Amino acid sequence: MTDPTASSWSGRTVLVTGAEGFIGSTLVDLLVERGARVRALVHYKPYGEAGYLAHHLGPGSPVETIAGDVRDAGRVMDAVAGCDTVFHLAALIGIPYSYQAPEAYVQTNVTGTQNIAAACHRYGVRRLLHTSTSEVYGTALTVPIAEDHPLQPQSPYSASKIGADMMALSYAHAFELPVTVVRPFNTYGPRQSSRAVIPTILAQLHAGVREIRLGSLTPTRDFTYVTDTAAGFLALADCDRALGEVVNLGTGREIAIGDLTEALIAATGRDARVVVDPARLRPAGSEVQRLLSDNSRAREWAGWRPEVGLAEGLRRTSQWVADHLHRFSVERYDV
């Protein structure tokens, strides 16, 4: 796919919140490649860990790192001032931990999004791209899942993201904020943490574990490679048709977790069997059984197409996990 916006980012100043994370850092890399000046809002750490932005640090870098927290309205105002476009990816993620600390999810995801939207409105940004998640749909009632599918808060995490999405859209209706809600489906790839299913399977395989410990094997997911998701953000940032709208980013294909595991076992050449770990099972009413995207809006409105197929994406991810196995805790289950 030829991206019509490939050269349009030169000279623009953009803010990426959650920039040190999995998708955020990949988006920063793509923006730098396209010539943008990137302001990266990262969560403050007293030990100064730069994470996946470390290669952008140093004199002359087009990336300016700002430490802060999206819950801090004043700090958010400082970060947004002077930016052309804001990509809001900062969020408290991880479904299991949301059962333990739901209030923290509301504070970061809902209040944090309100702070971002208010700052964008105050400074008149050209576009705000707010990051949603396919988890807001819950178990599919109809497939493929289009953007008008009912929202089902099957976990405190998904409830907080529904609230965040509605907060962002309320600024479009009430204040004419130029916002688009970007809703990725199960992004995967290099840099993803062991809290996600693909890296947790691969880490166990590459560590030589003979029993792969997982939760439910029957749910299906629509896995999208991370560079495709990042390219979708850029395409939608210049798509006027998407203003005030929600847009899915998914491949339109699904695979069951059990079948995915078998494919990863075969791809790595390891000898292992799958064991269902009760500690990894979601509460019965919280498990999302099926996610399969309708990506018509992204394709028709923004010209976006996923380019990396699942087999190639899994190969790349497997190699990255093997090369960075020290980052993963194989024996401990991280919520």
Side-chain angles (χ1 to χ4, degrees), residues 9-244:
W9 292 93
S10 181
R12 292 195 201 180
T13 297
V14 304
L15 173 68
V16 179
T17 73
E20 79 277 36
F22 162 49
I23 301 175
S25 63
T26 305
L27 179 59
V28 170
D29 288 347
L30 184 56
L31 284 162
V32 169
E33 180 184 314
R34 301 285 174 87
R37 296 189 299 267
V38 180
R39 189 175 295 168
L41 181 64
V42 303
H43 196 267
Y44 171 74
K45 303 177 185 65
Y47 44 85
E49 171 61 46
Y52 295 121
L53 294 181
H55 61 292
H56 287 301
L57 302 183
S61 172
V63 178
E64 173 193 4
T65 301
I66 300 176
D69 191 314
V70 293
R71 295 172 297 179
D72 183 336
R75 192 60 169 158
V76 167
M77 286 287 180
D78 293 340
V80 170
C83 288
D84 167 89
T85 305
V86 174
F87 296 93
H88 177 43
L89 286 83
L92 189 56
I93 62 171
I95 295 163
Y97 184 57
S98 76
Y99 305 135
Q100 302 175 16
E103 184 177 351
Y105 283 72
V106 173
Q107 292 174 351
T108 298
N109 296 348
V110 182
T111 302
T113 297
Q114 192 276 326
N115 290 338
I116 290 290
C120 289
H121 174 56
R122 175 177 177 178
Y123 288 110
V125 302
R126 184 191 63 86
R127 189 70 54 92
L128 166 62
L129 284 300
H130 164 72
T131 309
S132 181
T133 169
S134 58
E135 283 287 326
V136 302
Y137 293 125
T139 297
L141 302 177
T142 58
V143 291
I145 298 172
E147 290 83 355
D148 60 358
H149 186 283
L151 304 180
Q152 304 181 94
Q154 290 181 217
S155 67
Y157 165 67
S158 65
S160 74
K161 292 299 289 183
I162 291 171
D165 295 355
M166 296 304 105
M167 183 61 70
L169 289 172
S170 77
Y171 269 74
H173 294 296
F175 306 110
E176 298 184 346
L177 182 69
V179 59
T180 295
V181 174
V182 184
R183 191 164 283 161
F185 275 67
N186 299 98
T187 301
Y188 74 101
R191 303 178 183 174
Q192 192 171 26
S193 79
S194 60
R195 290 175 175 83
V197 65
I198 288 176
T200 200
I201 295 170
L202 287 170
Q204 292 179 72
L205 288 170
H206 286 300
V209 173
R210 302 298 295 273
E211 292 186 344
I212 307 302
R213 307 186 71 81
L214 297 172
S216 180
L217 305 178
T218 57
T220 69
R221 295 293 184 263
D222 183 335
F223 290 103
T224 309
Y225 194 67
V226 64
T227 55
D228 284 330
T229 297
F233 273 93
L234 266 59
L236 288 169
D238 282 326
C239 176
D240 290 343
R241 181 67 181 83
L243 286 171

